[in-house]
Structure formats: structure tokens, C-alpha cells
Amino acid sequence: MSEKIKVLLADDHPLLAAGLKMTISEWDEFNVVGIASNGVEAVEMCRELLPNLVIMDMQMPELTGPEAIKQIKAQFPDIRI
């Protein structure tokens, strides 16, 4: 059995993030490893959790999605966003 794809969700709307987690968790090949509620948290969680994939909201507090993506890609070029 192959290793699961680690997914980090980054969305400041808790209901949407919970729905995405529930939907993604239905596929055996994915494992949602965390949910970030802002861009700063998304960058920090990438550092801690080293996900394979980040699903990023573009409009978030503290650090927008595009700004967070730029930081994540600079530090972790192999993470897919």
C-alpha cells in the first residue's frame, strides 16, 4: 500500500474548512494533517507538518493566500499548492 498524501487546508472559514476535510477524508489516498485559519499559520504548519499538498484560500487574515504561497514555495519548493 502506498503512503497517503498529506494535505493541509488553509481557510479562515471554519465551516468550509470542516466540509473540505470531510470530503477529502472520504478518499483513502489522502490524509488531512491540519487546518490553518490564516496565512501565517499555514506557513508555520507547513514547517511543522511537511504536507505534500496545501489547499489555500486566497483571501485570509494576517497573510493573504498569495503571500503565504510565496513564502511556502520559497521554503518548501516540493509542496504542491
Side-chain angles (χ1 to χ4, degrees), residues 3-76:
E3 190 174 317
K4 289 189 175 196
I5 297 168
K6 297 187 296 184
V7 179
L8 173 66
L9 302 175
D11 198 306
D12 60 323
H13 297 95
L15 190 58
L16 181 59
L20 282 171
K21 180 180 180 182
M22 189 181 341
T23 300
I24 291 168
S25 295
E26 290 182 17
W27 287 297
D28 291 335
E29 58 269 19
F30 295 103
N31 179 28
V32 177
V33 294
I35 299 175
S37 61
N38 63 59
V40 172
E41 206 173 82
V43 175
E44 291 171 355
M45 291 179 84
C46 281
R47 192 173 298 115
E48 294 169 13
L49 302 172
L50 295 174
N52 305 105
L53 173 66
V54 176
I55 298 177
M56 179 77 68
D57 181 3
M58 292 291 102
Q59 297 178 357
M60 288 194 298
E62 296 189 43
L63 190 65
T64 67
E67 292 167 336
I69 289 169
K70 188 174 181 179
Q71 288 187 25
I72 291 166
K73 292 307 277 181
Q75 295 176 49
F76 310 100

